Amino acid sequence: MIGVLRRDLALAMRAGGGFGLGLSFFLIVVVLVPFAIGPDTSILGRIAPGILWLGALLACLLSLDRILALDWEDGSLDLLATAPIPLEGVVLMKAAAHWLTTGLPLVLAAPVLGVLLNLPVPGYGWLTLSLALGTPALSAIGAFGAALTVGLKRGGLLLSLLVLPLYVPSLIFGAEIARRGAEGLAIGAALPLLAGISLASLAIMPFAAAAAIRVNLR
Amino acid sequence: MLTVSGLACARGGVPILENLSFRLSAGAALVLRGPNGIGKTTLLRTVTGLQPPLAGQVDLAPDAVAYAGHADGIKAMLTVTENLRFWAGVFGTKDLAPALAAFDLERLTDRFAGTLSAGQKRRLGLARLAVSGRPLWVLDEPTVSLDAESTALFAKAVQRHCAQGGAALMATHIDLGFEAESLDLAPYRARLPEPGADDFDEAFL
């Protein structure tokens, strides 16, 4: 199973692998926001947690269809489905590879981009923590969406529509943690709820995704 | 090694094969024949477990099948060795050298798979079977884009595999030049359901 992870990471890093796609999209969104909103630093500071979370979520969404579509096109998915390693494990490793190449760079870049949006100082730690806790759920749910739409031509739009409602809880709690942190309020229940969503997604989604792949391969 | 009894299978919801029974024992190769669209690929996918049969049974030891379909499952941006090593890791084997030798890939080990010719890619795809260590090879049109020399290499690899106690089930149109049973699928073509047959649910699909 580690082999699947290693191969996906190697593929993402090589030319045409799509590494940095999400990161550059995130960068573009965050850099453009001050131009669109205007230079009022108090407004920027207030919307910064939400914008950063939204940007990270959309950047994640952008690369979801690569999780499985490429393997379906070249026949690897058929072969992996008949291999001795469980398909659930394959999906989990693929979600992990997606997080390492998309989610983790976003987590690391967010505090830097927070400066551009005048994020209040107490918010940096909470923003990073909430993204670190929340983005694994985005990758796991995304892998499920990719499994549902694998084999569909131009399935990207359908994938986004299927996945977005499932992303909403992570977005609400993640942005809430960052906002409360930035305003110096108590974080409260949002943190355990976000962590709970991530853990539940990681536990359930590989099984749901593997079932969806088996149906789609028929 | 493989026993198929009373098998019926469907493609896209349409039954295409029925009442198919055959046995394949260790050391034997079985070649499926039949015109395009008769259901060779569907049968092979059913045997490997990628799709469930409509009726009947496929009796096969678990983890016995290595499948090679129309697509080779090769990553263009990995080298020949990296591609093979990945599959060896998936199947829990280590030694790549015999597979590389069997399909004459030794001079190509450091080339990116994307730069190989169609025939070379096919040979890499077939070499994957050799590293899988699985006893039953299920091959769908394995000789597509292979030249005469490579086809001979492939035939030799299958013979060697069978001699070592393996078995091969393949769909192919060409004569591989060794003793193999063949099975014509034409008599097993499913009868078309009568028009207006009373499948109520089907009317809404």
Side-chain angles (χ1 to χ4, degrees), chain A residues 195-208:
Chain A
I197 291 168
S198 290
L199 289 174
S201 306
L202 285 174
I204 298 167
M205 289 305 169
F207 292 94

Side-chain angles (χ1 to χ4, degrees), chain A residues 3-4 7 10-11 14-15 70-71 73-76 78-85 214 217-218, chain B residues 45 48 50-52 63 65 67 71-75 77-79 82 86-87 90-91 112 128 134:
Chain A
V4 177
R7 181 187 71 148
L11 284 171
R14 295 208 175 150
L70 299 178
D71 275 339
E73 274 166 24
D74 66 19
S76 307
D78 279 348
L79 306 175
L80 283 171
T82 56
I85 49 178
R214 288 200 185 95
L217 284 184
R218 280 179 193 174
Chain B
R45 290 179 70 87
T48 50
L50 283 170
Q51 66 175 66
D63 286 348
V65 178
Y67 173 66
D72 289 318
I74 288 171
K75 293 292 177 193
M77 291 313 293
L78 296 181
T79 65
E82 284 169 325
F86 167 70
W87 289 111
V90 165
F91 286 99
F112 284 106
R128 182 178 48 78
R134 294 277 181 96

Side-chain angles (χ1 to χ4, degrees), chain A residues 44-131:
Chain A
L44 281 177
R46 200 162 348 123
I47 61 170
I51 295 288
L52 287 165
W53 247 93
L54 187 61
L57 187 144
L58 292 176
C60 218
L61 197 62
L62 200 60
S63 50
L64 285 185
D65 63 338
R66 302 185 68 93
I67 297 181
L68 292 170
L70 299 178
D71 275 339
W72 186 78
E73 274 166 24
D74 66 19
S76 307
L77 205 54
D78 279 348
L79 306 175
L80 283 171
T82 56
I85 49 178
L87 203 49
E88 288 80 2
V90 172
V91 173
L92 186 63
M93 287 300 132
K94 288 193 152 291
H98 179 260
W99 184 73
L100 286 173
T101 54
T102 307
L104 188 61
L106 294 178
V107 174
L108 299 177
V112 181
L113 295 177
V115 177
L116 293 177
L117 293 179
N118 194 35
L119 183 73
V121 175
Y124 286 92
W126 290 111
L127 174 74
T128 313
L129 179 67
S130 66
L131 281 171

